[in-house]
Amino acid sequence: MRRILDRTQVVRELTNVAEKLDGGNVPTEKRLTLLRRQAQLGDLLDAIDLKARRAANV
């Protein structure tokens, strides 16, 4: 089942991931996982913003 995230949740999770990455002492494998998640969340945030802009132009 897919989770539906709103913009606030995405930003919050993106902030949490960034804090973990900035914290240092992250093993390489976990760091790569966090970087992938950061990219996914960034793409999701872009998609949410694009959808909102398109809805505003209707």
Side-chain angles (χ1 to χ4, degrees):
M1 185 174 158
R2 293 179 66 185
R3 280 189 340 178
I4 298 175
L5 299 174
D6 65 9
R7 189 177 200 291
T8 305
Q9 292 169 321
V10 172
V11 170
R12 186 178 306 129
E13 189 171 345
L14 194 55
T15 302
N16 290 339
V17 169
E19 287 174 357
K20 288 177 185 176
L21 286 169
D22 290 340
N25 294 341
V26 180
T28 303
E29 191 170 317
K30 179 152 179 134
R31 183 172 180 76
L32 291 175
T33 302
L34 288 170
L35 288 169
R36 278 190 216 102
R37 185 62 181 154
Q38 189 178 41
Q40 290 171 344
L41 291 168
D43 290 345
L44 184 55
L45 190 58
D46 289 345
I48 290 170
D49 290 343
L50 179 61
K51 185 176 180 180
R53 281 194 305 271
R54 286 181 178 168
N57 287 333
V58 172

